[in-house]
Amino acid sequence: MSTTLRSMRLSASRCSPLRAGPSSASGTLRLAGARYSSSTAQDPMTGELAKLPDIEPSLLEITRTQQPKRPPPPSSLVFGHTFTDHMLTVPWQILEGWGKPKIQPYGPLAVEPSATVFHYAHCLFEGLKAYRDTNGKVTLFRPDMNMKRMNTSAERIAMPTFNGEAMVELMKELVRMDKHWIPDQPGYSLYIRPTMIGTQPALGIAPPKEALLFVICSPVGPYYPQGFKPVALYGTTEYTRASPGGIGAYKLGANYAAGVAAQKAAAQKGYVQNLWLQGPEHHITEVGTMNAFVVFKRSDGSVELVTPPLDGIILPGVTRDSVLALAREHSAGKIRVPELTDKLVVSERPVTMKEVKEAAQKGDLVEFFGTGTAAVISPVDRIGYLGEDVHIPTGPDGMGPISRPLWKHLTGIQTGAIPHPWAVEV
Amino acid sequence: MSTTLRSMRLSASRCSPLRAGPSSASGTLRLAGARYSSSTAQDPMTGELAKLPDIEPSLLEITRTQQPKRPPPPSSLVFGHTFTDHMLTVPWQILEGWGKPKIQPYGPLAVEPSATVFHYAHCLFEGLKAYRDTNGKVTLFRPDMNMKRMNTSAERIAMPTFNGEAMVELMKELVRMDKHWIPDQPGYSLYIRPTMIGTQPALGIAPPKEALLFVICSPVGPYYPQGFKPVALYGTTEYTRASPGGIGAYKLGANYAAGVAAQKAAAQKGYVQNLWLQGPEHHITEVGTMNAFVVFKRSDGSVELVTPPLDGIILPGVTRDSVLALAREHSAGKIRVPELTDKLVVSERPVTMKEVKEAAQKGDLVEFFGTGTAAVISPVDRIGYLGEDVHIPTGPDGMGPISRPLWKHLTGIQTGAIPHPWAVEV
């Protein structure tokens, strides 16, 4: 069933037999087990180390599923529970570089119990969405940003980096194959999850010598199917998400396992999510797994949109960057975001919970919201802080005067209603 | 080939069909895929939540390998690269509790690509050793401590806890089956690696609803086959391992991926390992992945053995605890550790790099060493700190006057030469 796609442009890369071989009879992709040889990395005559192969889209091998699934009714979708028919895999070995990319039927990975990922959390991921517009055109939203960040994450835990543009090409192919999984209803999209794991079957604590990059896709509905529902946050001071010199600025699995306890504690206290407050001054850093934005009314009549700076403990979110960019271009008069005030000032600066609380007391707190790929914008109406609740205004639609127009404009770009280079056609 | 071991004492636990079913034809253990039902957790008549089954050794099912491997020559062993013939697995689901323990042929795990462990680092582990004494008796060293810590780790990332005594029983059975893998030479042992991973096949960030506990075993040689070789450490101030409110005190995979960059940077600067220095005062916390001990000469003629206190960022090491306990009992006159000075004072207190450097300059620094299960005691002869090297005395055998007798006594207990309740017969 295996066919190699496209006429091959001859690649200079020297790919040796791959550890991630063809799917076995049971549909399980087998990884690891054999030993690597050093022959491909070092020239036996000159002793020179060869430049190892990067990810090469022209080598893509496609195995189509023989049992295509029927996409479930859109209304039944739960975030990240349903996956499409195919997945993309690219294996890596330290002495051979990146191997042959494969698109194959979605199914379990066979991983040695000694694999790095199970013991030392060598795992990292990205999240982006494919949207289908009313004309049927499918686009990815800023995939270059995700690939850039994925490489930064990989470097932080001594895992392999790769050509991001090549990965975008491969993801496009995967989305083209499974695009019928994007439900044909407004607000729906295909959530794409590129993931990298360490697969070396050895227990020594060191940079893994083998890895697997894989991409899976999940059809998802609007985060708020009945309109925006503002959430209540619990201001977490008992746990820390990140610290200077740590990994908070990287999209590593390790940040998420460590954060679940705070999320659980917030839920037990009756809040939907937690707000990470950092250090003795309770600096606002992130909202659960989203970036945080606050809007203040200022005495000169202007409105300030604030998000904490990328100081090493904040995740550089793609939605964060997009909201900042649109707001700044609007402020500078370069674009016009409809319904957004002209008196907008955009700040990346530290902001403490004390400042938020005092602004709320004085009536100067306009909005508080989180941004992220899954929800895009998530308004907040209440923050539990040191035993008291700080209340935050929200409009009848759940949003506020700054988040509403920014959300409309951003989702307009994502869904193709507003033409923009951020939307990349597959 | 599947046989159920032991006459069953009837268990009150209600085990339903397990997700981790029998090994497939390919030798791959399959996990996840089906949905769980709520019927076993809630009584349909009374609505009461039943107490879910804990780990139950009497339910153990054993499938012996049909292809036993030949243990390699001891001298060829590399730490954590060779594994024995069998492994132990116990699956868990939120609505059904712990399922049937199985000992089966060692082999890959089939895990869904959406499993929690690949994305959010829901993984944690333990490390302990089985030793064989000269009479052939096999013992585990303080396994209760490992099971206690494993439960603490699990709780920190909202994963299931379990009956540690039951797990010790199961590990004993596994070690009994594979004890011929312990090389019959002094200094060799069987390294046992209990591991827990989140296996729920869904991308929402939350406590995983499915998990797998597994145990694998690796025959290992002495850490220093040619006698002790002191290591040079690089004092890391660029990265932090842990912070208050974080996960440093737990044996979670997430601590290790995050630490590899510091280890790599130390190696690039010509040091063997890194020394984690915390905060503006550069408090000594850990040596790579070991606990840190410093020995000072004091003006009153006594010798102070210092290790940083368990203040929330230090891993509570079993070897750390054992060294402290032996040293304290010796100081108090309860036991006599041969060759160890009577003028020993034992302190768990903060210690800074400044104090170590000043003591070295004054000639008051007696020793610096790391402790951990793999190396037991690892002496240090040099620390690179802010551009200078601090030199530490070591004896001709690589050790010092405090570490040498403590190491002899501790390994005497571990190998059965000194009878002690810490050595638990399998």
Side-chain angles (χ1 to χ4, degrees):
Chain A
M1 286 303 116
S2 224
T3 54
T4 302
L5 188 81
R6 299 164 191 210
S7 62
M8 296 287 105
R9 58 178 161 95
L10 280 170
S11 167
S13 63
R14 295 180 292 169
C15 266
S16 47
L18 288 166
R19 298 284 292 281
S23 297
S24 69
S26 68
T28 299
L29 176 69
R30 294 188 71 96
L31 293 171
R35 293 294 94 180
Y36 27 81
S37 84
S38 64
S39 59
T40 51
Q42 195 165 20
D43 186 306
M45 301 301 286
T46 65
E48 273 179 19
L49 284 176
K51 194 177 177 302
L52 294 170
D54 205 328
I55 290 178
E56 180 48 64
S58 69
L59 298 177
L60 176 66
E61 188 178 290
I62 295 180
T63 306
R64 285 186 185 274
T65 181
Q66 295 302 299
Q67 291 151 336
K69 289 173 289 187
R70 193 191 181 83
S75 60
S76 72
L77 293 172
V78 176
F79 180 83
H81 276 69
T82 303
F83 298 91
T84 64
D85 284 328
H86 298 94
M87 66 182 183
L88 168 68
T89 62
V90 197
W92 174 89
Q93 289 184 52
I94 194 167
L95 296 172
E96 298 178 6
W98 289 100
K100 192 192 281 269
K102 289 183 183 173
I103 291 177
Q104 60 201 309
Y106 184 94
L109 303 170
V111 185
E112 289 289 317
S114 60
T116 330
V117 63
F118 292 146
H119 302 268
Y120 308 128
H122 273 93
C123 56
L124 56 100
F125 67 96
E126 283 296 325
L128 68 161
K129 283 181 178 170
Y131 296 88
R132 183 158 53 194
D133 72 13
T134 45
N135 303 318
K137 191 171 90 173
V138 174
T139 58
L140 302 177
F141 184 69
R142 307 188 76 184
D144 56 317
M145 293 284 282
N146 294 95
M147 293 302 98
K148 195 176 145 192
R149 186 171 62 185
M150 196 168 190
N151 273 311
T152 312
S153 299
E155 205 155 31
R156 180 61 180 83
I157 54 171
M159 290 190 74
T161 57
F162 57 87
N163 179 343
E165 286 177 29
M167 265 307 290
V168 171
E169 287 311 305
L170 290 167
M171 288 195 295
K172 283 182 183 175
E173 183 62 40
L174 178 65
V175 171
R176 277 193 290 266
M177 280 178 65
D178 283 350
K179 69 180 177 189
H180 58 287
W181 281 81
I182 311 176
D184 195 15
Q185 289 185 22
Y188 283 80
S189 59
L190 191 66
Y191 181 82
I192 304 168
R193 172 58 64 97
T195 311
M196 196 194 294
I197 59 174
T199 54
Q200 189 189 2
L203 298 182
I205 299 169
K209 291 179 178 162
E210 300 177 28
L212 181 75
L213 202 167
F214 66 83
V215 184
I216 55 178
C217 302
S218 174
V220 294
Y223 215 79
Y224 299 103
Q226 271 87 45
F228 279 90
K229 191 174 182 313
V231 295
L233 305 181
Y234 174 74
T236 299
T237 54
E238 305 87 345
Y239 297 101
T240 51
R241 177 184 167 276
S243 60
I247 56 170
Y250 305 89
K251 208 160 178 71
L252 300 171
N255 283 318
Y256 296 82
V260 165
Q263 185 188 332
K264 196 175 166 184
Q268 281 165 348
K269 290 182 174 75
Y271 297 86
V272 176
Q273 257 299 353
N274 79 303
L275 173 65
W276 294 100
L277 300 175
Q278 180 78 10
E281 293 182 65
H282 297 163
H283 278 97
I284 286 163
T285 58
E286 297 199 12
V287 176
T289 58
M290 292 184 284
N291 288 116
F293 281 82
V294 198
V295 183
F296 297 108
K297 199 183 297 174
R298 304 210 297 190
S299 53
D300 64 359
S302 66
V303 174
E304 186 189 17
L305 174 68
V306 183
T307 194
L310 300 179
D311 60 357
I313 64 168
I314 306 276
L315 191 81
V318 178
T319 312
R320 175 189 181 278
D321 185 85
S322 305
V323 164
L324 281 177
L326 291 179
R328 281 188 172 130
E329 286 178 23
H330 174 85
S331 287
K334 289 181 189 168
I335 61 165
R336 164 105 193 109
V337 175
E339 298 168 46
L340 186 59
T341 174
D342 288 334
K343 293 178 178 172
L344 186 69
V345 177
V346 182
S347 303
E348 280 180 271
R349 68 164 174 86
V351 53
T352 64
M353 197 53 212
K354 183 163 172 263
E355 185 182 358
V356 169
K357 190 179 168 179
E358 286 176 0
Q361 285 163 346
K362 282 192 264 175
D364 290 342
L365 184 61
V366 183
E367 282 195 62
F368 197 112
F369 58 92
T371 63
T373 294
V376 187
I377 283 179
S378 184
V380 174
D381 63 359
R382 188 161 57 96
I383 301 172
Y385 178 57
L386 303 180
E388 284 177 57
D389 272 359
V390 175
H391 292 274
I392 299 150
T394 51
D397 59 354
M399 305 198 82
I402 306 302
S403 62
R404 189 184 301 110
L406 283 168
W407 176 81
K408 278 189 191 169
H409 203 77
L410 183 54
T411 52
I413 292 171
Q414 290 172 335
T415 57
I418 302 170
H420 197 284
W422 283 347
V424 177
E425 192 169 356
V426 304
Chain B
M1 286 302 117
S2 223
T3 54
T4 302
L5 188 82
R6 300 164 188 212
S7 63
M8 297 288 103
R9 57 179 163 96
L10 279 171
S11 166
S13 62
R14 296 179 292 169
C15 266
S16 47
L18 289 167
R19 296 284 293 284
S23 297
S24 68
S26 66
T28 299
L29 176 70
R30 294 190 67 98
L31 293 170
R35 293 296 92 182
Y36 29 80
S37 86
S38 65
S39 57
T40 50
Q42 195 166 22
D43 188 307
M45 302 303 284
T46 65
E48 272 178 22
L49 283 176
K51 194 175 176 306
L52 294 171
D54 205 327
I55 290 178
E56 181 48 65
S58 68
L59 298 178
L60 177 65
E61 189 179 290
I62 294 180
T63 306
R64 285 185 186 273
T65 181
Q66 294 304 297
Q67 293 150 335
K69 288 173 289 188
R70 193 190 182 83
S75 60
S76 73
L77 293 172
V78 176
F79 180 83
H81 277 70
T82 303
F83 298 91
T84 64
D85 284 327
H86 297 94
M87 64 182 185
L88 168 70
T89 61
V90 197
W92 174 87
Q93 289 184 52
I94 194 166
L95 297 172
E96 297 177 5
W98 289 100
K100 190 192 283 269
K102 289 184 183 172
I103 291 178
Q104 61 200 309
Y106 184 92
L109 303 169
V111 186
E112 289 289 319
S114 60
T116 332
V117 64
F118 293 145
H119 302 268
Y120 308 128
H122 273 92
C123 55
L124 56 101
F125 67 96
E126 281 297 324
L128 69 160
K129 283 180 178 170
Y131 297 88
R132 183 160 49 195
D133 72 13
T134 45
N135 302 318
K137 192 171 91 174
V138 174
T139 58
L140 302 177
F141 185 70
R142 306 188 76 182
D144 56 317
M145 292 284 282
N146 294 95
M147 293 302 98
K148 193 176 146 193
R149 186 172 62 184
M150 196 167 189
N151 274 311
T152 313
S153 300
E155 205 156 31
R156 179 61 180 83
I157 55 170
M159 290 190 74
T161 56
F162 57 87
N163 179 344
E165 286 177 31
M167 264 308 288
V168 171
E169 287 311 307
L170 291 167
M171 287 194 294
K172 282 182 182 175
E173 182 62 38
L174 178 64
V175 171
R176 277 193 290 266
M177 281 179 64
D178 282 349
K179 69 179 175 189
H180 58 288
W181 282 82
I182 311 176
D184 195 14
Q185 290 185 25
Y188 284 79
S189 59
L190 191 66
Y191 181 82
I192 304 167
R193 173 57 65 96
T195 311
M196 196 195 292
I197 59 173
T199 53
Q200 189 188 3
L203 298 182
I205 298 169
K209 290 180 178 163
E210 300 176 27
L212 180 76
L213 202 167
F214 65 85
V215 184
I216 55 178
C217 301
S218 174
V220 294
Y223 215 78
Y224 299 103
Q226 271 84 45
F228 278 91
K229 193 177 180 312
V231 295
L233 304 180
Y234 174 74
T236 298
T237 54
E238 304 87 346
Y239 298 101
T240 51
R241 178 185 167 276
S243 59
I247 56 171
Y250 305 89
K251 208 161 178 71
L252 300 172
N255 283 317
Y256 295 82
V260 165
Q263 186 187 331
K264 196 176 166 184
Q268 282 164 348
K269 290 181 175 76
Y271 296 87
V272 176
Q273 258 298 353
N274 79 303
L275 173 65
W276 294 100
L277 299 175
Q278 180 79 9
E281 293 181 65
H282 297 164
H283 278 96
I284 286 162
T285 58
E286 297 199 13
V287 176
T289 57
M290 293 183 284
N291 288 117
F293 281 82
V294 199
V295 183
F296 298 108
K297 199 184 297 174
R298 304 210 296 190
S299 53
D300 64 359
S302 67
V303 174
E304 186 189 19
L305 174 67
V306 183
T307 194
L310 300 179
D311 59 356
I313 64 168
I314 307 276
L315 191 82
V318 178
T319 312
R320 174 190 182 278
D321 185 85
S322 305
V323 164
L324 281 177
L326 292 180
R328 280 188 172 129
E329 285 177 24
H330 174 85
S331 288
K334 291 181 188 166
I335 62 166
R336 164 101 192 113
V337 175
E339 298 167 45
L340 187 58
T341 176
D342 288 334
K343 293 178 176 169
L344 187 68
V345 178
V346 182
S347 303
E348 280 180 272
R349 67 165 175 86
V351 52
T352 65
M353 196 53 213
K354 183 162 172 265
E355 186 182 358
V356 170
K357 190 179 168 181
E358 286 176 359
Q361 285 163 347
K362 281 192 264 176
D364 291 341
L365 185 60
V366 181
E367 282 196 64
F368 198 112
F369 58 91
T371 63
T373 294
V376 187
I377 282 179
S378 184
V380 175
D381 63 359
R382 188 162 57 97
I383 300 171
Y385 178 57
L386 303 180
E388 283 177 58
D389 271 1
V390 175
H391 292 274
I392 299 149
T394 51
D397 60 351
M399 306 198 82
I402 305 303
S403 62
R404 189 185 300 110
L406 284 168
W407 175 81
K408 278 188 190 168
H409 202 79
L410 183 54
T411 52
I413 293 171
Q414 290 172 335
T415 58
I418 302 170
H420 196 286
W422 283 347
V424 177
E425 190 170 358
V426 302

